[in-house]
Each structure stands twice: as structure tokens, then as C-alpha cells.
Amino acid sequence: MLDQLFTKHQDLKEAAAIERRRQSEEARRARIFNARQRVIGIDTTALEQQLQEKHEQLQAEEERKRKFAEEQRRQNQVVNRKQHEQQQLRHLLNSEENRFRRLYQRPEQSRDFDLFDPDGLKKALPARVGDDDPRLSVSGAQKFDGEDLTERERRRLQMQQQRSWLEQQIRAKRQAEQDRIAGERFLEEALEAREQRVHQLASEERYAKQKIKESVDNFNRQLMNQQEYERRQKKQQEEEDNRAEIYNHLSSDILTENPEVAKSALGPNRIIPYSYKGMSPEELEQIRNGQLEQQQEMRRLRQAEANNKEAWDRLANQFDQTVVMKDRELNQRRRELAGRVGFENLQLSDEQRRKLEFMDRQLYQNRPTMEYFNQFNTTSR
């Protein structure tokens, strides 16, 4: 009887295990061979979130680079504009200086130009153009005493010529002085204009720096005010919380020792440990009575356990005898089964030998068909 029950139980377990493996194999095959729904080992939500975070980081980095490039381009434009203005001013000053030199400082206007004039010989007169040539001198041996018949006229002409020369020299000196004064005045005006332009650029730069400093100071002041306001709000909130906590502690049931506080909402016999203040005399008497009842119950249970143990010992002896008998029967069946298995193995070896001969002689002579290939990849293993 026990052998039949054991065999039936083993068959049920094997059948349940086979069915469980079959269902698992079908579920695995449906999951493995479905390429569009196969997501084993991949957390698509986490990957999408990581991609989104990576995309946001790249956008933030590109925005920061764009702002930095824009600020750098703006600063470069300001620097280029300042440099262009300085170059224009320098070019204007150089042009004015060259114009002044071209108009008022030409070589022919110098006092000693006649000494190094390259056309001086071309402009010079011959040694003697006539008897009345005023350039004739005694050492030149061109004119001798007694030959000057026009001495009075010559002297008058010489005096007129000297007067004309003196007037020309005076006019030339006055004109040169006027030109020098005009050139100095023009140079002073040009230098003053340049200084004014430099002061104007410096003033504009100071104004821009002042505006930037004011904006930074305003931002810092607003930030400081905001932080001071948040600090006061936080401090006020902490003070209110502290006062509320002190009031709650003073009016709490823990300090007032209210016995009703120890009762739990989970049951009439349940208590709250941190609010419990001790048991009443009635509760202590009830506990003592309960302990006496538990002692009597324990003695009764021990007696019942001793009786049960004696009964189990008798049953164990009977079961041991039964197991010895069943063990003998099983050994006899194993020997009989071993004989049958040996005989069946001989038959199987003959059948396998014939099968191998058949496969070598006939089956392996044919080419494989599609049915041979279709039998593969039918499971997920």
C-alpha cells in the first residue's frame, strides 16, 4: 500500500515538473523568437532618460559656448572700433603734420637754402652784364677808377636796391614769423583736438566701466537683500517651530502622565510602550491568575506530550519493522529488475546495431531535404 502511494506521488511530481518545463519553454520561445518585443537585459526607460539628460547637457554646453562666443565677439567689435578710431586719429594727425610741413616747412623757405640750392648756378647772373653792373667790384678787375661816369645814379640805385632788399627781408621775416605763429597755432589746435579725443575716449571707457560696476553692484545688493530676507524668514520660522515644540512638550500627555495615552488603537489589550506608566493592582492580580492557569495548562500539556511520545514510539517501532520488510521486497525487485534490464539491454544493443547498419547502408546515402533543416531552431535552448 505504501509502495503504491509512493509511486503515485512520484509520478504526479514528475508530471507536474514536465508540465512546468513545457510552459516555461513555450513562454521562453515566444519571447526569444519575437525580435520586436525582445527587451531582455535592456532598461529602455533608463536609457531614454540618460539620452535625454545627455541631450540637455549638450544643449546647455552649446548655449554656454554660444553666449561666450557672442560676448567675445561683442568685445572684439568694441576693441576693433576703438583701434579703428585710434588709427583714424593717428592718420589725421600725421596728415595734418605732413600738410603743415608741406606748406610751411619747405626747403626753399629756409634761411640757408641759397647755400645748398641745386639750381643756384643756373639762377646766378654772369660776372658782368654791363658797365653799370652793381656787382662789379674793385678786386674783380672789371671796372677801374675813372670809368664810373654814373656814380650818382649808381649810388641812388644801390640805395634803392638796399632799401628794397631791407623791405623784402623785413616782409620775409614778418611773413616767416606769421607762418611760424600760424603753424604753431595749428599744431597746438591739432594736439589739443587729439588730447580732447583721448580724454573723450577715456571718459567713455570710464562711463562704460562705471555702468558695468553699477549693474554688478545692484545685482550683488539685490542678491544680498534676498539672502538676508531668506535668512530672517528661516530664523523666524525656526523660532516659531521651537516655541510650538516647547508648548507641545509642556502640554503633552507624556509629561502629564495621562493613563489613557497608553491605550493602543490596535486593540483593547494593546499598549503603546513609550507612553506606558505601569500596571494597576487589578492588572497585576489578573496577571497572577493568568500565570496560575498557564502553569496548570503547562502540566496538562506535558502529560499529553508524554502520552503522545509513547504512542509515537510504538508507531515508530511498527514502522521500522514495516520498512525492513519493504526493504527486503525492494531488494528482491531490484535483482529481478536488474535481470530484466540486462536482457532488455541485449535486445536494445541488437536493435541499435541493426539500426546503425540500416543508417549506414540506406539512410546516409540520401541528400538532406528541407524537412531535415526545419527540425532545427524549434526550441529556445
Side-chain angles (χ1 to χ4, degrees):
M1 185 65 182
L2 291 174
D3 189 12
Q4 293 178 359
L5 292 175
F6 180 75
T7 305
K8 185 177 181 181
H9 180 68
Q10 288 295 112
D11 294 336
L12 292 176
K13 286 180 63 177
E14 291 179 359
I18 292 172
E19 181 64 22
R20 185 171 59 255
R21 287 196 296 270
R22 186 183 63 79
Q23 292 178 359
S24 176
E25 177 64 23
E26 290 179 357
R28 178 181 174 85
R29 184 168 54 187
R31 187 172 63 253
I32 292 297
F33 291 125
N34 193 346
R36 299 184 63 184
Q37 297 181 358
R38 190 190 319 149
V39 294
I40 296 178
I42 299 177
D43 191 357
T44 56
T45 305
L47 292 177
E48 291 177 357
Q49 185 176 2
Q50 291 178 1
L51 291 175
Q52 182 67 22
E53 292 177 356
K54 186 68 175 179
H55 183 65
E56 292 177 357
Q57 291 178 359
L58 291 176
Q59 287 183 349
E61 184 66 20
E62 291 178 357
E63 182 66 18
R64 188 183 67 80
K65 290 182 179 178
R66 185 186 64 77
K67 291 183 179 179
F68 179 78
E70 184 178 357
E71 181 66 20
Q72 186 178 10
R73 184 169 57 254
R74 186 184 65 79
Q75 293 179 1
N76 290 334
Q77 291 177 357
V78 173
V79 172
N80 293 332
R81 185 169 64 253
K82 296 295 182 182
Q83 291 179 354
H84 182 67
E85 292 178 357
Q86 291 179 358
Q87 290 178 359
Q88 288 182 348
L89 179 60
R90 191 180 299 109
H91 180 71
L92 178 62
L93 294 176
N94 293 333
S95 300
E96 293 297 333
E97 185 177 359
N98 293 330
R99 188 179 70 83
F100 176 79
R101 291 176 178 175
R102 187 173 61 253
L103 294 177
Y104 304 107
Q105 293 182 352
R106 292 182 295 179
E108 58 269 17
Q109 292 179 350
S110 64
R111 185 176 57 184
D112 301 331
F113 179 73
D114 57 337
L115 298 177
F116 53 84
D117 187 5
D119 297 332
L121 296 177
K122 295 180 182 180
K123 296 178 182 179
L125 296 175
R128 182 175 181 178
V129 295
D131 293 339
D132 56 351
D133 192 350
R135 297 180 294 111
L136 295 178
S137 61
V138 178
S139 62
Q142 296 294 327
K143 188 177 180 179
F144 299 94
D145 292 340
E147 294 183 2
D148 190 8
L149 302 177
T150 59
E151 179 181 2
R152 184 177 298 176
E153 183 65 22
R154 179 177 56 78
R155 290 183 180 275
R156 186 181 62 82
L157 293 175
Q158 287 178 354
M159 292 177 65
Q160 290 179 357
Q161 187 176 9
Q162 288 178 357
R163 189 181 298 109
S164 175
W165 285 352
L166 290 174
E167 290 178 353
Q168 289 179 2
Q169 290 178 1
I170 291 171
R171 287 196 299 271
K173 288 182 179 180
R174 289 178 180 174
Q175 184 65 33
E177 184 67 20
Q178 291 177 359
D179 293 342
R180 184 182 65 78
I181 294 172
E184 291 179 355
R185 185 183 300 109
F186 179 77
L187 182 60
E188 290 176 358
E189 292 177 355
L191 292 175
E192 185 178 359
R194 185 177 65 177
E195 291 294 332
Q196 290 179 356
R197 183 60 179 170
V198 171
H199 288 307
Q200 182 180 0
L201 293 176
S203 178
E204 292 178 357
E205 185 177 1
R206 287 194 301 271
Y207 178 75
K209 289 182 179 179
Q210 183 66 25
K211 287 295 183 182
I212 294 173
K213 185 176 181 300
E214 289 178 358
S215 62
V216 173
D217 292 340
N218 292 331
F219 176 77
N220 292 333
R221 193 178 300 107
Q222 293 177 1
L223 182 61
M224 182 181 65
N225 294 333
Q226 180 67 22
Q227 292 177 353
E228 182 65 22
Y229 175 75
E230 292 178 356
R231 186 183 64 79
R232 289 198 302 267
Q233 290 293 114
K234 185 177 180 181
K235 183 177 180 181
Q236 184 179 359
Q237 184 65 31
E238 289 179 355
E239 290 178 355
E240 292 179 357
D241 293 340
N242 292 333
R243 287 195 295 268
E245 185 176 0
I246 291 171
Y247 176 76
N248 291 332
H249 281 303
L250 292 176
S251 61
S252 64
D253 293 331
I254 296 176
L255 296 180
T256 57
E257 297 184 358
N258 186 6
E260 297 295 331
V261 179
K263 294 182 178 180
S264 175
L266 300 177
N269 297 326
R270 302 291 293 275
I271 61 172
I272 301 175
Y274 59 82
S275 300
Y276 185 63
K277 300 298 181 180
M279 293 185 295
S280 63
E282 292 81 5
E283 292 176 344
L284 292 174
E285 183 65 24
Q286 185 177 1
I287 290 174
R288 294 190 188 95
N289 296 330
Q291 290 176 351
L292 294 175
E293 292 178 358
Q294 290 177 0
Q295 292 176 0
Q296 295 176 0
E297 182 68 21
M298 286 295 295
R299 285 193 294 271
R300 187 182 63 81
L301 291 176
R302 287 172 183 173
Q303 184 64 33
E305 185 178 357
N307 298 332
N308 192 14
K309 184 178 180 181
E310 185 179 357
W312 274 106
D313 290 338
R314 290 194 301 270
L315 182 61
N317 293 328
Q318 296 176 2
F319 184 75
D320 290 338
Q321 295 175 1
T322 304
V323 167
V324 171
M325 294 176 62
K326 291 296 182 182
D327 191 12
R328 293 175 182 174
E329 293 179 0
L330 287 175
N331 291 330
Q332 182 65 26
R333 291 182 180 180
R334 287 194 189 97
R335 286 192 294 271
E336 294 176 357
L337 181 61
R340 290 197 300 270
V341 168
F343 180 73
E344 290 177 357
N345 287 334
L346 291 175
Q347 292 180 351
L348 288 174
S349 63
D350 294 337
E351 184 179 356
Q352 186 175 10
R353 181 176 53 77
R354 290 192 301 270
K355 185 177 180 181
L356 291 174
E357 291 177 356
F358 172 76
M359 293 173 65
D360 292 336
R361 294 177 181 178
Q362 297 182 10
L363 184 62
Y364 289 162
Q365 299 299 323
N366 299 327
R367 292 182 178 274
T369 61
M370 290 303 297
E371 295 180 354
Y372 171 75
F373 294 105
N374 290 334
Q375 68 181 342
F376 298 102
N377 200 19
T378 57
T379 63
S380 61
R381 302 295 177 180

